[in-house]
Amino acid sequence: MHLTHKIALRPTAEQADYFQRAAGTARKVWNWALDEWNKQYAGGGKPNAMALKKHFNAIKYDLYPWIKDMHRDSHAQPFAHLGKAWTTFFADLKAGKQAHEPRFKKKGRCRDSFYVANDKFALDGNSIRLPKIGAVAMTEALRFEGKILGATVSRTADRWFVAVQVDVPEAQALRRRTGHGTVGVDLGLKAAATLSSGESIQAPKPLKAALRRLKIRSRRLSRQLEAAKLAAGFAPGARLPKGTQLPVSSNRRKSAAKLARLHARIANLRVDFTHKLTTRLCRENQAVVIEDLNVKGMLANEKLAKAISDVGFGLFRVQMGYKAQRYGARLVVADRWYPSSRLCSVCGWKNEALTLKDREWTCPCCGTHHDRDCNAACNLKRLATETALPVASPTGNGGAAVGIVPAVAGKVTPVRNGCGQQDAPGQEESREHICSPF
């Protein structure tokens, strides 16, 4: 299993300067390769990443003399990354997915990073020896033991990190679970996650807490940029011609650094919360059921986009995917159209009139009063058991119809539903339902 440990670095001023120049080299070579690729493709040719690399190696010292001061990995790996990007693009087109062509990278608007091959660096406790600059202090030692595959040095705000990828033996990669339960997880905005046990977990919502400071620092930087434009002779609010570079004052540089640090802090709080939640779910349960949310479609709602981004639904799904493998838990992803909120978790009656603002409702068939999120979590939980309710027909008028879909592979011990209700008679039999393993 491949695992990556991201470690913060403590470089000297000279080492940080080299990191910045190496990241700029990688960005420059990427843009050169992408430009050549587009030219060859427009001329009817069939570009190849390795052919572009060979051509670049023949002219690089004449084209960019300063590249002699950079280690070769910083200007060799972008070709492999570009080839992989185009392969992914064409594969997505063939599969009918939404695809985007590789784009040019602009300084200040892309992630600063560069790659180092596994035979070009060495780890020694709390330090890493990198080519050209020697030993760089790390905040901690590498946690994993195994074959080192490579490393990527990157920058977040004003801090530098190294992400070391390791091929870890399965015995070390797998973690021991502390529980063997089954849980359904309903993600939402009122509560970040509602479990089928009835527990409601609130998100820290770091963006909402820091929004005032974020606006102040953004406004300060914007005003300094406008002042620089006026000093350079441009009209107020005018767009700069392509390639124009304004002089950067010390105060403007400090303002940009403060804004970047605040953005990094917001992201770190969100990631920390998601890591703790996903680890807990996978460590305490043998089966976890979540929904296949259309996050991109949800972000199209202007009124909810900010709140959805502040919770981090997409990050939750990604982390659940690989942590379930490490803890040996079974991850079940309910179909996007499964009506988990509309179905009564006791009798299966479908509430067609339920709207987004209805947080509670009472089933007219069995009289059970439901909390919307807890009911959805209970219905999700049943998808991982043999007591799953039948799939509600999308065009039904309140009833439930069995859909002809594949059943979940594997078996999980039937349990009581998480809202404290005993399974209704006749629901213990195995039924087919919509779900897909991640």
Side-chain angles (χ1 to χ4, degrees), residues 183-187 193-195 277-278 281-282 287-293 313-321 324 330-336 338 340 376-377 379-381 383-384 434-438:
V183 67
V185 184
D186 179 69
L187 300 179
T194 301
L195 309 185
L277 175 59
T278 53
L281 292 174
C282 294
V288 183
V289 190
I290 61 176
E291 293 178 291
D292 181 21
L293 297 176
F313 290 159
L315 183 63
F316 176 86
R317 170 70 181 273
V318 171
Q319 292 186 6
M320 285 297 299
R330 178 169 160 237
L331 180 65
V332 179
V333 183
D335 183 83
R336 185 171 296 178
Y338 180 71
S340 57
N379 282 325
L380 291 173
K381 175 182 176 179
L383 291 182
I434 296 180
C435 65
S436 58
F438 183 72

Side-chain angles (χ1 to χ4, degrees), residues 36 57 94 103 118 126 138 206 221 397:
E36 288 294 321
N57 287 337
K94 188 175 181 180
R103 300 171 182 174
N118 60 348
N126 285 17
M138 302 190 302
L221 180 61
N397 57 359

